[in-house]
Amino acid sequence: DTAGQERFHTITTSYYRGAMGIMLVYDITNAKSFENISKWLRNIDEHANEDVERMLLGNKCDMEDKRVVPKAKGEQIAREHGIRFFETSAKANINIEKAFLTLAEDILRKTPVKEPNSENVDISSGGGVTGWKSKCC
């Protein structure tokens, strides 16, 4: 989370390279934050892996009376870039969990399933290290 600050530009580009998912967040009460979304999308296209999952979030949807960015504008830019869109409110906890779970599910859907090998430990059936006992404090 760099809050879109230009001074973090050099480090954000290095984060893009290993990212599997990126959430772009703008403030629905701040037109400038929405105007910067196109720039950040171009930045992601330049520096991130081409299969990175992206998601657009219009935050502060609990402040409808102060809205300056129509929901339709967020939906439109998301549609143009083929990415998911949600309006959220971190303060009122609206669509926060849904956004994170959806992004995680989209990433997992793209991630190839690895075959188990002898180095993996089976924790589902109580397997794993035997003879180990827990000791309190």
Side-chain angles (χ1 to χ4, degrees), residues 73-107:
K73 277 190 150 190
E75 291 169 334
Q76 178 186 356
I77 198 166
R79 198 170 33 255
E80 288 170 2
H81 291 272
I83 61 178
R84 290 189 189 267
F85 171 75
F86 292 101
E87 283 204 334
T88 60
S89 169
K91 183 179 180 181
N93 194 20
I94 299 169
N95 282 338
I96 299 296
E97 186 172 353
K98 184 177 182 179
F100 277 94
L101 288 175
T102 301
L103 184 63
E105 288 166 358
D106 290 347
I107 291 168

Side-chain angles (χ1 to χ4, degrees), residues 15-22 41-54 81-83 110:
Y15 280 123
Y16 290 153
R17 279 189 278 281
M20 297 173 80
I22 298 173
L41 284 165
R42 281 192 305 276
N43 226 311
I44 291 166
D45 287 343
E46 281 180 38
H47 300 287
N49 295 335
E50 66 182 46
D51 65 340
V52 68
E53 277 298 319
R54 300 167 299 161
H81 291 272
I83 61 178
K110 280 185 170 178

Side-chain angles (χ1 to χ4, degrees), residues 62-75:
D62 60 306
M63 300 176 69
E64 192 62 42
D65 57 324
K66 295 183 178 162
R67 177 187 290 273
V68 295
V69 181
K71 184 175 182 179
K73 277 190 150 190
E75 291 169 334

